[in-house]
Amino acid sequence: MVAERGEEILKEIVNQIRAYDTYGTWEKKSDHDILNHLFLTKSEKQASLSLMGHCEVDPKALLKLHAYFKAIGALIEKSSGLLTSVVINLDEEGNGIVLIYSGRLILVNKSIRDANKFRFKSLDEMALQAQKFIDKALELVEKYIEVANI
């Protein structure tokens, strides 16, 4: 099971998803259901997506990317006390980059290949990957605080 910090990460991801839910689509779903539906690997769905080839990015894939990385940005901000910004730039095929920065300091720089396949094997894996991003970003803040304050 995920540690206490992992629970905080998963809760923030759900908060971000609910913030995007302007029509109340996810309102009656539990946090666990939302995370399972959006982020966990579904072998049948995964196989069909890989056969599709080049196609537009699914709106759910965009939601997942935005919720996941905005949650990471929010938790970095909460831990460091610095204002962070999240930039996600994808082309029509789902390839691109995610940047999380504070001031002029880039805290996270992640390439995305095929956003439609952005999934995790488990909630523990998702929380662990997010924690790695957060830990690395906080190390950078500590080391280059002057750049982050510009």
Side-chain angles (χ1 to χ4, degrees):
M1 192 66 190
V2 257
E4 184 178 318
R5 181 70 169 179
E7 290 293 333
E8 181 184 15
I9 291 166
L10 296 177
K11 184 68 178 162
E12 185 60 36
I13 292 168
V14 170
N15 288 344
Q16 294 294 325
I17 291 169
R18 291 192 190 280
Y20 281 101
D21 185 22
T22 56
Y23 295 109
T25 307
W26 302 98
E27 191 173 78
K28 294 182 181 176
K29 295 206 181 265
S30 71
D31 293 356
H32 187 71
D33 287 343
I34 290 172
L35 290 169
N36 281 333
H37 180 74
L38 288 175
F39 288 100
L40 297 186
T41 302
K42 304 229 189 298
S43 56
E44 294 171 9
K45 207 176 228 185
Q46 195 86 359
S48 68
L49 283 175
S50 65
L51 296 174
M52 293 168 78
H54 299 293
C55 60
E56 288 186 22
V57 181
D58 179 31
K60 281 187 182 177
L62 288 177
L63 171 65
K64 289 185 290 189
L65 279 168
H66 281 271
Y68 183 72
F69 286 104
K70 286 196 174 248
I72 291 170
L75 291 169
I76 292 168
E77 190 171 299
K78 182 178 177 183
S79 297
S80 68
L82 297 169
L83 182 64
T84 62
S85 295
V86 179
V87 176
I88 300 175
N89 186 9
L90 299 174
D91 65 16
E92 64 279 350
E93 293 177 359
N95 302 315
I97 192 165
V98 175
L99 295 176
I100 301 175
Y101 64 93
S102 181
R104 294 198 178 177
L105 180 61
I106 294 177
L107 304 169
V108 174
N109 179 0
K110 173 74 175 148
S111 294
I112 302 293
R113 297 287 175 249
D114 196 358
N116 285 322
K117 293 183 182 179
F118 184 74
R119 292 190 176 274
F120 296 92
K121 293 178 184 171
S122 70
L123 296 180
D124 289 339
E125 179 195 1
M126 180 169 51
L128 180 64
Q129 291 301 318
Q131 187 61 53
K132 287 180 183 178
F133 283 124
I134 293 166
D135 290 344
K136 182 65 176 170
L138 294 176
E139 285 177 26
L140 288 169
V141 165
E142 190 175 309
K143 191 171 182 179
Y144 301 106
I145 190 68
E146 314 81 42
V147 180
N149 284 321
I150 293 178

